[in-house]
Amino acid sequence: MTQVTNRYKYPQPLVDAVSHDGHITSGDISVTTLIDAPQIFYLRKKHKVDIQTDVSDLIWALIGTAIHGILERANITSHRRNALMEVIQLLKEFYYNNREKEDLKDEASQAERVFKWLLKFMFKHYPELESRYEFETHVTLEVNGWVVSGTVDLYDKIDKRIQDYKVTSTYMYTTPEARKKWKLQVNTYAYMLRKKGYEVLGADIIGIFRDWSRKKVGKPNYPPLQVMTMEIMLHKQEDLEKWILHRVKLHQKAHEGDFPPCSGEERWAVADQYAVLQYKEGKAISGSIVSERGLAEKFVKENQHKYKKPLIIEHRPSEWRKCESYCSVSKFCDQWAERKKQTSSQFVNNSSGWEG
Ligand code: SF4
């Protein structure tokens, strides 16, 4: 568990709530980590005790957890049944988090016996709970000597579909790399559930956008609704098997310190761009943003006669968006440090960023 700091002196109950990690963790690697870059996996392991996260950065994650909890209880009405569910969840968490710890093994197996019995008791006395949806199904799979684990948000027993809920920003919806990761995640869950004997015919990501604004609807790529159901194409089981084995092997090597640098896709990199603007106007001319300086110069030559003000070219240097704002180990990453060194020396050499 990373250290949680409280930079802005938020109330203690909130700090306690975000510090409690209710995720069931088991095995050698989680599905979400498997999808992520091997370098991130290595740096997280190496700097486990040094990684700090502030409470203020975890509030949205807390809200996401709350939404999952509310969904899970959506078909339960009585307080007594809610209380039972709560106890079962606590025992499940205890079991999965401690079953491999030498000093807690016995207690964990007792917890397992009790929560399994409670589940039987619930379904016997409250048969209506055995409803259409199965929530938070914990799945594990052994691959090349490692155990991969994950939790499927919802399995619809009638339609035989998986649903994965993402409480996220509209920015993530418009970032292709983030969406690709969602697709890989649900495909891996589909593979694992099938291995467990479930029939999986389809999968959906349900995006709940926390910063959605009605005023922005209609802008390119902007989600038209605050809650979007995105159908995910499921790959063939044999293709997924190969892909999962490849990812496990990559992470096993990273575990030993042997990993490739993060790729452009893993860094959410945006390539260099050149935009043409009218002098002292802030907005690029429509259709003028290109990937090469030569193309921007051609645009100026062909279009200058249409404008009174001189046209100028603005260089927009490439960005590594994940490293800048979304990577929890960027502080420890040499690849990112090197990149920052290079861009700051480029900035000194060409401090205006403007090219006539
Ligand atoms: S900071 Fe960037 S390059 Fe470094 S581990 Fe994170 S994503 Fe990869």
Side-chain angles (χ1 to χ4, degrees), residues 82-100:
N82 275 351
L84 268 176
M85 286 290 284
E86 204 68 57
V87 174
I88 290 169
Q89 186 59 23
L90 275 174
L91 289 167
K92 255 178 157 179
E93 280 174 25
F94 184 82
Y95 165 66
Y96 284 112
N97 292 335
N98 298 300
R99 64 186 174 156
E100 279 152 22

Side-chain angles (χ1 to χ4, degrees), residues 134 137-141 152 155 159-162 183-204 231-241 244:
E134 185 177 314
T137 308
H138 188 68
V139 275
T140 55
L141 176 75
V152 183
Y155 175 71
D159 286 348
K160 307 202 183 307
R161 294 181 79 81
I162 294 174
K183 289 176 194 166
L184 290 170
Q185 189 184 1
V186 287
N187 263 283
T188 310
Y189 289 153
Y191 175 86
M192 291 167 87
L193 276 181
R194 284 174 182 148
K195 281 280 191 193
K196 247 183 128 174
Y198 287 68
E199 193 180 357
V200 183
L201 301 178
D204 302 297
E231 188 174 352
I232 302 299
M233 196 195 90
L234 291 180
H235 296 287
K236 284 192 202 141
Q237 202 71 342
E238 56 267 33
D239 294 342
L240 287 168
E241 184 165 323
I244 292 169

Side-chain angles (χ1 to χ4, degrees), residues 39-40 43 262 266-267 322-323 327 329-330 333 335-336:
Q39 178 165 224
I40 297 179
L43 291 175
C262 291
E266 286 164 339
R267 291 180 267 112
K322 177 148 182 176
C323 315
C327 181
V329 289
S330 58
C333 175
Q335 189 181 356
W336 176 229

